[in-house]
Structures are given as C-alpha cells and as structure tokens.
Amino acid sequence: DGLAKAFSNEEYAAPPEGIKATARHILVKTPEEVSEIMSQIGSTPFASLADKYSTCPSSARGGSLGSFKPGTMVKEFDEVVFNVETNIGEVVGPVQTQFGYHLIVVDKRTGV
C-alpha cells in the first residue's frame, strides 16, 4: 500500500540528531580537591565520586548532565566535550571555568 511505503521510506525518516553530547562531570572549587578525586579514579566509580565531592546539583545523578548541544554549557566545557580528540569514556580535566574545576567524562558525541 502506498501510504505504508511512504512511511517506511528512509527519505522521509527523521533528520539526524545533529551535534549533541552526553556527559558527566564532577565540579569542585580547588585544585587540591581535584587531586584528591583523581587519586581515587579507577578504584572508585565516577558516579560515587560525583555524589561525594561535586558541588553541582548533577551530583545526585552521578554527575550526569544528560544530552546537550554546543552552547548549552560554558565555553571551556564545550571545547572539551565537543573536541573530537577527547576520548569517549575517559576522565578529562581539570577544566577550569567560572564555576570551579571540572573533571569530565564524555559518554556519547554525535554529529561532530
């Protein structure tokens, strides 16, 4: 039937997601706190460290910021998250912003 064929046609599929990323982070105020956390990376789950140390409300979700597009976060944060040289799943940082020091994990990146 023509209607079913039209809806199954890839030409009419939803557009690609575009540029987006999914990331987690731990936000702290001092380089000393960063050092303390980094000494525990690998032996303690990132989500547990976020819950314990992060000053961001996302700490309640293991540091998860969900999915977002470029321009949603501050410039320094976006530069790391949307950089194709930043490896997915690796802890990056500290990245200093107006809010403090971030340790960032990019879980997914599309359209870059």
Side-chain angles (χ1 to χ4, degrees):
D1 134 68
L3 192 58
K5 184 177 177 185
F7 282 103
S8 68
N9 188 334
E10 288 184 19
E11 185 178 330
Y12 298 101
E17 281 189 315
I19 300 175
K20 284 173 71 174
T22 303
R24 297 173 281 153
H25 80 139
I26 298 171
L27 173 63
V28 294
K29 295 291 182 195
T30 68
E32 292 76 25
E33 290 172 290
V34 169
S35 297
E36 168 73 21
I37 295 163
M38 289 301 286
S39 72
Q40 298 178 56
I41 297 277
S43 61
T44 305
F46 190 89
S48 298
L49 294 171
D51 186 48
K52 182 176 180 181
Y53 292 101
S54 186
T55 60
C56 181
S58 69
S59 65
R61 298 181 305 278
S64 176
L65 296 167
S67 293
F68 51 91
K69 295 179 179 190
T72 305
M73 305 297 174
V74 292
K75 180 178 177 254
E76 301 89 346
F77 199 94
D78 270 2
E79 286 174 352
V80 171
V81 173
F82 293 101
N83 183 337
V84 293
E85 293 180 16
T86 299
N87 293 324
I88 303 294
E90 288 185 11
V91 178
V92 180
V95 176
Q96 187 174 6
T97 70
Q98 68 197 46
F99 301 107
Y101 297 88
H102 304 259
L103 293 172
I104 304 168
V105 176
V106 179
D107 292 316
K108 182 179 177 186
R109 186 185 313 114
T110 57
V112 181

